[in-house]
Amino acid sequence: MLGDGTVEFAVNVNEFTHNADWHGMMEFITTADQLGYHKMRFVDHVVGVVAEKHPEMDQTPYTHVSAHHEVFTLMAYLAALTKNIKLVTGVLNLPQRQTALVAKQAAEVDFLSGGRALLACGLGYNSVEFEAMGWSLKDRGKRADEQIPLLRRLWTEETVTHEGMFDTMRDVGINPKPLQQPIPIWLGAGRTDNPVPPEAAEKRIAKLADGWCPLFAVPNGERTLNDEAIASINRVNQYARDLGRDPETELALEIGIHPSGKPKEKVLDEIKALHDLGAKHLHARFTGKSAREQIDELKRFADFVS
């Protein structure tokens, strides 16, 4: 694995949703696995939207022309092509999916991969996609609050009975169970243009998540996060402590890092500063537009942190 063990490094296939390069994406993923990266994140959208026909929808970099492979199917396929890297939904739009089906699919990926699944979830923002999936955007927070504990029960209990606001299950179970008991659930937070999550999201993270992956980033020319991002981290940690949780051991934090074009010394300085803020997981985001550029940056960053 990369580094000295104090930080886990993640990468993603976001750029490949835009250039639809299947073979390049496969080479990128298997190279990351061979280089010792710890996690590979996969973007989740079930349907793409013709954005210009939906001015009421928030802006999105992903549309009907984006190449989104179905996330659980792709991860199951990659379970046999990779050896060590964790397979991460990054992030799954949980409230628009059936809870029992998510539990089953994630358990299968974990089983097939030898315990390498990680379910990172978000609440979603695309009202048109929610409509296509048969759910309402307005209830997504309450739905996720019910889904997350229920997922853990389905993964760890022989049978489950539950009657809630959104889900009803009577004496049902999932078999085979995931190897991890339970699969870790992380929560995404914020938008690229507004990365600090609202109070409700911060409290949900503190209460329900095993880890969180906000979209905070080090501003250009700086070495660490801005005051608003640091304040959000501090609030989440305090909310967790108020609930009797130790954020140091029970609530992992992953921050994005943008190493493209930066010298090694600058990148290592950012890594140390983010680690000092409690980020024991870092998500390297590269700017390359082709598979070759992405793979070259993957190797360059690995050289920096090896």
Side-chain angles (χ1 to χ4, degrees):
M1 292 294 181
L2 297 184
D4 59 5
T6 60
V7 175
E8 291 194 5
F9 295 100
V11 286
N12 67 59
V13 298
N14 292 20
E15 188 58 42
F16 294 94
T17 65
H18 300 300
N19 61 23
D21 182 355
W22 169 257
H23 295 293
M25 185 173 75
M26 289 299 101
E27 184 181 355
F28 178 84
I29 293 167
T30 54
T31 300
D33 185 43
Q34 294 163 5
L35 289 172
Y37 281 88
H38 301 85
K39 292 183 288 186
M40 178 64 65
R41 293 175 53 160
F42 301 94
V43 187
D44 170 52
H45 283 288
V46 176
V47 295
V49 176
V50 184
E52 59 267 25
K53 293 190 176 182
H54 293 280
E56 78 283 2
M57 189 184 74
D58 287 346
Q59 283 191 328
T60 176
Y62 303 113
T63 69
H64 66 293
V65 300
S66 304
H68 282 111
H69 296 278
E70 200 287 313
V71 64
F72 287 115
T73 309
L74 177 60
M75 290 164 66
Y77 174 77
L78 290 168
L81 297 184
T82 57
K83 293 182 178 179
N84 298 304
I85 200 163
K86 295 176 185 175
L87 305 173
V88 184
T89 58
V91 294
L92 185 83
N93 293 325
L94 179 61
Q96 69 180 18
R97 290 175 177 258
Q98 296 167 293
T99 310
L101 184 57
V102 170
K104 182 68 174 180
Q105 291 171 312
E108 189 69 10
V109 170
D110 196 64
F111 181 86
L112 294 173
S113 66
R116 290 188 282 131
L118 193 158
L119 194 70
C121 303
L123 297 187
Y125 61 87
N126 187 326
S127 60
V128 181
E129 185 174 12
F130 266 81
E131 180 183 54
M133 295 290 286
W135 290 99
S136 170
L137 187 72
K138 68 178 182 179
D139 295 326
R140 65 194 189 279
K142 292 179 180 178
R143 179 157 165 74
D145 289 344
E146 182 176 332
Q147 288 179 293
I148 292 170
L150 188 52
L151 286 170
R152 292 187 175 116
R153 290 188 62 197
L154 287 164
W155 290 329
T156 60
E157 298 179 19
E158 184 176 1
T159 61
V160 170
T161 294
H162 169 87
E163 185 168 348
M165 184 181 300
F166 302 98
D167 281 297
T168 297
M169 300 182 189
R170 295 194 295 271
D171 300 304
V172 300
I174 285 178
N175 192 15
K177 292 281 191 283
L179 299 184
Q180 297 180 92
Q181 288 285 292
I183 297 169
I185 298 177
W186 288 32
L187 292 178
R191 297 287 304 275
T192 302
D193 56 352
N194 187 22
V196 176
E199 181 183 23
E202 292 177 338
K203 289 184 174 180
R204 179 178 296 109
I205 291 162
K207 180 180 180 181
L208 297 175
D210 296 307
W212 62 304
C213 39
L215 290 173
F216 303 148
V218 176
N220 288 335
E222 301 296 326
R223 65 181 294 273
T224 192
L225 303 178
N226 61 31
D227 291 344
E228 291 81 5
I230 294 172
S232 180
I233 293 171
N234 290 336
R235 284 194 300 270
V236 169
N237 289 343
Q238 188 57 55
Y239 292 144
R241 293 187 193 99
D242 292 343
L243 293 168
R245 304 185 69 198
D246 179 2
E248 179 70 20
T249 59
E250 298 179 70
L251 186 59
L253 171 62
E254 179 181 281
I255 300 293
I257 189 168
H258 299 261
S260 300
K262 296 177 182 177
K264 178 177 180 178
E265 295 74 16
K266 177 70 165 62
V267 173
L268 295 181
D269 194 40
E270 289 184 16
I271 290 173
K272 182 181 184 304
L274 294 174
H275 182 267
D276 289 345
L277 290 174
K280 297 179 182 178
H281 303 257
L282 294 177
H283 175 196
R285 297 171 177 264
F286 307 125
T287 60
K289 298 303 180 185
S290 69
R292 181 48 47 200
E293 290 171 331
Q294 284 278 319
I295 292 167
D296 287 346
E297 292 190 55
L298 189 75
K299 294 177 178 178
R300 177 177 180 265
F301 184 76
D303 286 340
F304 283 2
V305 298
S306 294

